[in-house]
Amino acid sequence: EEANADLERPLTLEELQSALQTMDSGKAPGLDGLPVDFYKSFWTEMLAVLSDSLARGCLPVCCLRVVTTPPPQKVT
């Protein structure tokens, strides 16, 4: 029960920033197309958006867009 409670607690901003700073710079972008360096450069601005989103209980419209990409087909 103690382990479950620890896993279910909210993330802290310190944990998020620590995780971001441990990521290697210069790596290929993730599914969102943005490299780690983007997040490191704009951490302060992103933090403001995250804090506002948590306070309002919703994300900005620009964060609600989804790009669906079909998986690649095997070449036979």
Side-chain angles (χ1 to χ4, degrees), residues 4-67:
N4 283 343
D6 191 43
L7 290 172
E8 291 178 357
R9 70 176 170 71
L11 290 170
T12 66
L13 297 176
E14 291 79 19
E15 287 174 309
L16 292 172
Q17 186 170 19
S18 176
L20 178 63
Q21 295 306 320
T22 61
M23 292 180 181
D24 293 332
S25 294
K27 295 295 182 180
L31 293 176
D32 59 6
L34 301 172
V36 171
D37 295 319
F38 172 85
Y39 292 104
K40 287 182 177 182
S41 296
F42 293 101
W43 171 249
T44 304
E45 291 80 1
M46 290 178 34
L47 183 57
V49 172
L50 289 171
S51 297
D52 185 61
S53 296
L54 289 172
R56 292 174 182 249
C58 63
L59 291 169
V61 173
C62 64
C63 294
L64 299 176
R65 295 185 187 131
V66 176
V67 176

